Amino acid sequence: MYSMPLYRPPSEARSLIIQITEGCSHNKCRFCYMYKCKQFRLKSDDEIKEHINELKAYYKNPDRIFLADGNVLCLKTDKLVSLLNYIKTEFPSAQRISSYSGPLDLIRKTDEELKLIREHGLEFLYLGVESGSDKVLSMMEKGVNQREMIEAGQKAVKAGFKLSCMIISGLGGEGLMEEHAVESAKVISAINPHYFSLLRLVVEEESELADDVRQGKFKLLNPIRILDENILMLENMELTDCIFRANHVSNYLNQAGVLNKDKDMLVERLKKFRESNDFIPMGNDRL
Ligand code: SF4
């Protein structure tokens, strides 16, 4: 039914996943292992319709739908719009349709195209910003720079999507820790998304970054330095009514709040936690 592996954000755990594409058309980020084993491809209309028919046998009335894999917005706008119409007809119970969004796909589409896609039912986008630093984005081969990442996020918000942005804590390593913290805060503040999630870097064997770590080219942050970076990043955020979550299994301290309203409280909690030494380094650092 699905081409594996299949990924979705934690908040889509209860969503019906419809696989519109396979893999990621970029597939070059050094820290990412998700689709390394998959050749990117667009599915044909017939394949997607057959896939939806199979899913209908198991999922009668889904509330939420998540479109996979990596970057569904790379589809031509008219194809995506007609697919969204088809999905809404087949699953009229769905209240929300979401997907990952690649920054280059957002940039390539015009404001009018994005609005059209939004109006036809794609409501919620997840944007992996990863870092706001040009140096880190280039080192990790994200394929866009800071200016382009801001443009992509701002276009999504302007078109009316609910936007969730992710930053990976530790992605600058020791060498670019402060730059990663400050520049990431700058990019998230410029986008001002509806949601901002902070995850921590976990280096998987399948990623190119694993080789960089083994060869000493990339020095991982220790837990104290991760907390220092988190504090610096939050201190530099300037957001309005942005729901903040750091509640992924990789985070040392579970945090939730609204930025900037809760900024001081969140920073204070991190500082106390750091000073307490009341934490055990997680066992999920693959390297
Ligand atoms: S992080 Fe996103 S854009 Fe980069 S390779 Fe992985 S899925 Fe593709």
Side-chain angles (χ1 to χ4, degrees):
M1 192 178 299
Y2 292 112
S3 147
M4 302 304 275
L6 189 66
Y7 294 97
R8 46 108 186 120
S11 51
E12 301 288 341
R14 292 171 179 272
S15 305
L16 165 64
I17 302 180
I18 302 179
Q19 201 166 28
I20 302 292
T21 62
E22 286 183 14
C24 162
S25 61
H26 179 59
N27 217 15
K28 287 187 185 139
C29 301
R30 297 189 75 75
F31 58 86
C32 178
Y33 57 92
M34 289 164 68
Y35 303 115
K36 293 289 182 211
C37 60
K38 275 187 183 180
Q39 179 75 37
F40 177 75
R41 77 179 187 98
L42 302 174
K43 286 181 165 179
S44 69
D45 287 353
D46 286 348
E47 271 180 290
I48 295 170
K49 285 181 180 169
E50 194 185 324
H51 175 53
I52 288 173
N53 265 337
E54 283 173 358
L55 293 171
K56 278 174 70 179
Y58 295 92
Y59 303 95
K60 303 290 181 205
N61 297 301
D63 292 338
R64 290 183 175 194
I65 289 175
F66 180 75
L67 306 180
D69 278 341
N71 50 327
V72 166
L73 282 179
C74 69
L75 261 68
K76 286 209 167 87
T77 299
D78 55 352
K79 175 164 173 159
L80 186 50
V81 164
S82 90
L83 269 173
L84 287 164
N85 288 339
Y86 184 74
I87 288 167
K88 284 187 294 178
T89 309
E90 296 300 301
F91 296 107
S93 60
Q95 302 293 311
R96 186 177 100 168
I97 304 177
S98 322
S99 78
Y100 289 126
S101 54
L104 282 174
D105 298 325
L106 284 164
I107 291 170
R108 279 191 204 110
K109 295 222 184 282
T110 64
D111 290 347
E112 289 68 35
E113 286 180 299
L114 289 174
K115 259 187 208 151
L116 195 66
I117 293 166
R118 170 67 197 89
E119 282 162 13
H120 281 80
L122 183 57
E123 180 187 344
F124 199 105
L125 296 179
Y126 296 88
L127 177 63
V129 173
E130 335 296 7
S131 175
S133 153
D134 272 337
K135 287 181 190 161
V136 178
L137 288 169
S138 164
M139 176 170 73
M140 292 297 156
E141 299 183 41
K142 182 69 188 172
V144 287
N145 60 25
Q146 180 190 78
R147 182 187 55 74
E148 291 165 323
M149 192 63 87
I150 292 173
E151 183 188 343
Q154 288 181 340
K155 277 183 87 171
V157 172
K158 188 176 161 201
F161 292 98
K162 287 262 186 289
L163 183 69
S164 177
C165 289
M166 281 84 71
I167 291 284
I168 303 177
S169 178
L171 199 63
E174 260 308 330
L176 293 169
M177 181 279 239
E178 288 186 4
E179 155 130 4
H180 173 60
V182 172
E183 296 300 301
S184 295
K186 187 168 152 188
V187 168
I188 297 297
S189 301
I191 296 173
N192 201 40
H194 304 86
Y195 298 83
F196 162 49
S197 308
L198 188 58
L199 289 70
R200 182 176 60 87
L201 176 66
V202 175
V203 182
E204 300 281 347
E205 280 293 344
E206 299 91 332
S207 69
E208 281 100 358
L209 189 59
D211 293 332
D212 297 344
V213 173
R214 273 189 291 266
Q215 291 165 22
K217 292 183 194 162
F218 185 89
K219 194 164 182 313
L220 293 165
L221 297 186
N222 68 32
I224 291 285
R225 296 283 288 157
I226 287 279
L227 295 172
D228 287 343
E229 180 224 70
N230 291 176
I231 291 165
L232 188 59
M233 198 182 296
L234 281 181
E235 280 176 340
N236 279 275
M237 289 284 174
E238 292 302 334
L239 292 159
T240 309
D241 298 333
C242 176
I243 296 172
F244 169 66
R245 296 282 181 268
N247 56 2
H248 187 253
V249 64
S250 64
N251 294 111
Y252 289 125
L253 178 65
N254 263 9
Q255 291 261 67
V258 177
L259 290 169
N260 268 2
K261 181 171 77 64
D262 298 327
K263 181 160 98 170
D264 292 348
M265 176 273 288
L266 293 164
V267 168
E268 221 28 60
R269 276 197 76 213
L270 275 167
K271 284 182 177 171
K272 276 200 184 128
F273 184 64
R274 184 196 182 287
E275 295 312 316
S276 72
N277 272 334
D278 187 22
F279 60 92
I280 306 164
M282 312 283 280
N284 59 350
D285 293 277
R286 304 289 189 269
L287 287 172

